[in-house]
Amino acid sequence: MSKIAVYPGSFDPITMGHVDIINRISPLYDEVIVLVANSAQKQSLFTSEERKDLIEKSLSHLKNVKVDFFQGLTTDYMKKHNAQVIVRGLRAVVDFEYEMTMANMNKKIAPELETLLVFASPEYYYISSRGVKELALNGGPLNGLVPEVVIEAMAKKLK
Ligand code: ADP
C-alpha cells in the first residue's frame, strides 16, 4: 500500500516555511498531497485556484508532490484518496494548542489517521502567510520569505 500524506492549510500564499516542511516530508512518503482549504469562513487574498497554481510552481522540483483543493473535512478527503497521515507544521508555542485540538478532533472522527507535527526550521519559524501579506500591503520586501513566483503574484494582486 502506498504511503500518502496530506498537508492541509490555507496557503494564502505559500511561504518558504511551507516549502521547507514539504521539502522535508516528501522523501518520507510515496506521495504528498498539499491540500488547499477552500474555507467559506476565511477571507483569502488569492482564490484557491491561484493558491494551487502558486504551490505547484513553487514545488515543481518535487516529483511525488501534488496539489489539490477541497471544501469540507480533511479526513473525508483523506479517506477518499487512501491517505494515512495529516502533516502540520509547528512554529511557536502558540501553534501548539490549536494543533493539538485539531489532531484530537481528527483522531475522534477518523481514528485510523495519524497527525504528524513537524517543527519549523529555525530560519523560517517566524514566517506566516498573514505576516507576509501585511508586509506586502505596506510595501515591505518579501525576498527570502516566499518563493519568487509569489513575490510576482503579490505585486500584481496588490497593484
Ligand atoms: P491554516 O490556516 O490551516 O493554519 P496555513 O497555510 O497558515 O494554514 O498553515 C498550514 C500549516 O503550515 C499549519 O500547520 C502551519 O502551522 C504550518 N506553517 C505555517 N507557516 C509555517 C512556517 N513558517 N514553518 C513551518 N510551518 C508553518
Side-chain angles (χ1 to χ4, degrees):
M1 191 174 68
S2 303
K3 290 275 175 219
I4 305 174
V6 168
Y7 181 34
S10 309
F11 305 104
D12 186 42
I14 185 165
T15 70
M16 293 312 282
H18 298 129
V19 171
D20 175 58
I21 296 284
I22 301 159
N23 273 330
R24 288 161 57 200
I25 61 162
S26 88
L28 307 178
Y29 296 97
D30 295 311
E31 188 179 357
V32 173
I33 304 173
V34 182
L35 191 62
V36 178
N38 204 347
S39 168
Q41 282 166 22
K42 271 193 186 172
Q43 266 254 259
S44 60
L45 178 65
F46 293 98
T47 65
S48 26
E49 285 86 357
E50 288 169 334
R51 286 181 268 157
K52 176 173 183 273
D53 181 58
L54 290 173
I55 300 170
E56 277 167 352
K57 286 183 176 144
S58 307
L59 299 173
S60 55
H61 59 289
L62 297 173
K63 298 301 163 216
N64 67 336
V65 174
K66 81 172 203 192
V67 191
D68 203 355
F69 50 77
F70 186 63
Q71 192 160 23
L73 295 176
T74 301
T75 50
D76 285 343
Y77 178 93
M78 292 178 70
K79 286 177 194 168
K80 209 168 134 205
H81 291 81
N82 296 316
Q84 305 96 345
V85 178
I86 306 171
V87 174
R88 295 283 292 176
L90 210 56
R91 286 164 294 182
V93 196
V94 288
D95 282 344
F96 182 81
E97 198 161 330
Y98 177 72
E99 295 299 342
M100 188 177 70
T101 307
M102 285 294 289
N104 283 315
M105 180 76 92
N106 285 329
K107 196 73 193 162
K108 178 76 182 162
I109 61 175
E112 69 281 17
L113 305 179
E114 286 300 339
T115 297
L116 176 80
L117 292 176
V118 181
F119 283 106
S121 297
E123 61 269 45
Y124 300 123
Y125 82 96
Y126 62 91
I127 305 176
S128 66
S129 300
R130 192 183 169 157
V132 164
K133 282 184 278 193
E134 194 74 32
L135 209 56
L137 272 170
N138 293 291
L142 299 182
N143 309 58
L145 302 181
V146 293
E148 277 300 319
V149 282
V150 174
I151 297 183
E152 289 158 24
M154 303 259 322
K156 259 193 212 154
K157 186 66 96 178
L158 300 172
K159 207 159 59 183

